Amino acid sequence: MISSSRIQDANLQLKSPADAAVGSSFDVAVCIGRFQGLHLGQFALIQRALALAPKVVIVVGSAFQARTPKNPFTWQERAEMIRLALSDSVNHDADATTALLDRVSFVPVRDYYDSRRWVEAVHQGVDGVAPRQDGQAAPRTVLVGHRKDATSDYLSDFPGWTLEAMPSQGRMHSSSLRDAYFAGGGNEANPLMLAAALSALVSVVPPSTIAFLRTWAELPEYRALAEEWAMLREERAQWASAPYPPVFVTVDALLQCNDHVLLIERGRAPGKGLFALPGGFLEQRESIYQSALRELQEETGFDRLPVHMDTAFRGVQVFDHPDRSLRGRVITHVHHFDLGQCKNLPEVAGADDAAKAMWVPIADLAAMEDRFHDDHFHILDSFLGLTS
């Protein structure tokens, strides 16, 4: 685990907000991460970026998602965690803090589950806050990061930027931080659990992050996410003795009618209360097509003769990104049906795993992005082109 003294020993603390303005080889330094619980290893990357260039762009990934145990904080909350830590680094000196924060810009980028689109979005975001001046060459850009595992492969996706590969700052990861944090909320009868969890994090996160986490735990979202975290942990424990990590196969149905799509509100964790496509796990004696029709009927009450559904069927697409589901490796097959223009929208009602079922205008979906379960907004985007 990393400690604050180790960061100082590595000589990564920024001595002055003006340090990077003199003799810098770069115009812009970029840091990319989810920052879902800022720890000292991530903060070291940011401080290194500040030492390398006068302008720093922090790309905040997994933006615009619904709150989950993996993504509990909005991108604005994560940006605020970073701002607070930077303010601490100059001892809350008002002028120094202003000068430092003026050098930092935040760019939120959603998960596209498509590396080409994601890289393009990062470039667009960085260019938007650090544009090329008329008649001048492109800004000299350095990407500051650490090669940890397969999740760091993105560092090779920006060949036009110089890579500043930082050494390991310890074994602390944001996932471990979140595990400790939400474990502290699992027992309402013991208020000391949260205090103990935060105490265990003192050596691995900035002091301002501890204060942020303590305050954030007073929100109702903390209790709900802690309960969902405990459920997911128990579910994974049931598969711990399997000879191989489980791979789940699921189905979903995207049903259109009169420029609307049929959605459910999930009635159970994970994702309780979030919007999703009707769907579920593949049954042993069903084809994926049969399972999709069954789940559609069970969760929404929508029922049509097979010949009618065959006519409405437009195709099936597989969504298999390793990180698409909190449950683990879940591969889903999304069946697209289009009923065309109907006199009236078919009646539906939530049942089984769905608390509600409703027809939603396609025009309203883009504004609902942060209310969808897992990657279901991305699925809708893939079929319907909701984002640019």
Side-chain angles (χ1 to χ4, degrees), residues 264-302:
I264 65 163
E265 179 185 306
R266 289 181 59 83
R268 302 176 185 174
K272 183 179 180 180
L274 299 180
F275 292 116
L277 295 169
F281 289 95
L282 178 69
E283 294 284 356
Q284 289 287 337
R285 300 297 300 172
E286 291 179 333
S287 69
I288 58 171
Y289 184 81
Q290 291 170 329
S291 274
L293 294 182
R294 174 184 53 76
E295 287 288 349
L296 177 63
Q297 193 280 326
E298 288 179 354
E299 293 195 338
T300 71
F302 178 85

Side-chain angles (χ1 to χ4, degrees), residues 138-213:
R140 299 165 299 170
T141 303
V142 57
L143 175 61
V144 182
H146 165 62
R147 292 192 182 278
K148 179 178 62 175
D149 50 33
T151 62
S152 306
D153 288 348
Y154 72 88
L155 293 173
S156 301
D157 291 337
F158 300 90
W161 297 348
T162 299
L163 176 61
E164 175 80 357
M166 294 279 289
S168 173
Q169 303 299 308
R171 294 187 297 173
M172 184 63 193
H173 305 295
S174 290
S175 57
S176 302
L177 186 157
R178 293 190 302 273
D179 282 347
Y181 184 49
F182 288 122
N187 187 349
E188 190 172 5
N190 187 355
L192 296 179
M193 288 188 67
L194 175 61
L198 292 175
S199 296
L201 298 174
V202 166
S203 65
V204 297
V205 303
S208 58
T209 299
I210 292 289
F212 181 96
L213 294 175

Side-chain angles (χ1 to χ4, degrees), residues 32-36 59-68 70-76 78 107-113 118 122 178 321 323 369-370 374:
I32 301 174
R34 294 194 312 116
F35 306 104
Q36 281 289 2
V59 176
V60 185
S62 299
F64 315 115
Q65 292 194 3
R67 296 188 192 273
T68 66
K70 183 178 180 180
N71 293 294
F73 310 114
T74 66
W75 78 263
Q76 295 93 336
R78 288 174 272 165
V107 172
V109 175
R110 63 172 50 86
D111 286 338
Y112 289 97
Y113 303 95
W118 181 82
V122 171
R178 293 190 302 273
H321 193 281
D323 298 322
E369 182 174 0
D370 63 352
D374 280 349

Side-chain angles (χ1 to χ4, degrees), residues 179-261:
D179 282 347
Y181 184 49
F182 288 122
N187 187 349
E188 190 172 5
N190 187 355
L192 296 179
M193 288 188 67
L194 175 61
L198 292 175
S199 296
L201 298 174
V202 166
S203 65
V204 297
V205 303
S208 58
T209 299
I210 292 289
F212 181 96
L213 294 175
R214 182 179 294 109
T215 300
W216 197 89
E218 298 176 4
L219 300 177
E221 288 85 351
Y222 173 74
R223 173 67 54 191
L225 292 180
E227 292 175 354
E228 186 166 318
W229 172 87
M231 184 278 294
L232 288 167
R233 186 179 185 185
E234 181 179 345
E235 189 174 89
R236 294 188 189 111
Q238 294 174 358
W239 293 96
S241 60
Y244 303 101
V247 177
F248 304 103
V249 179
T250 61
V251 294
D252 290 289
L254 196 169
L255 181 63
Q256 284 183 247
C257 181
N258 292 358
D259 299 318
H260 287 63
V261 293

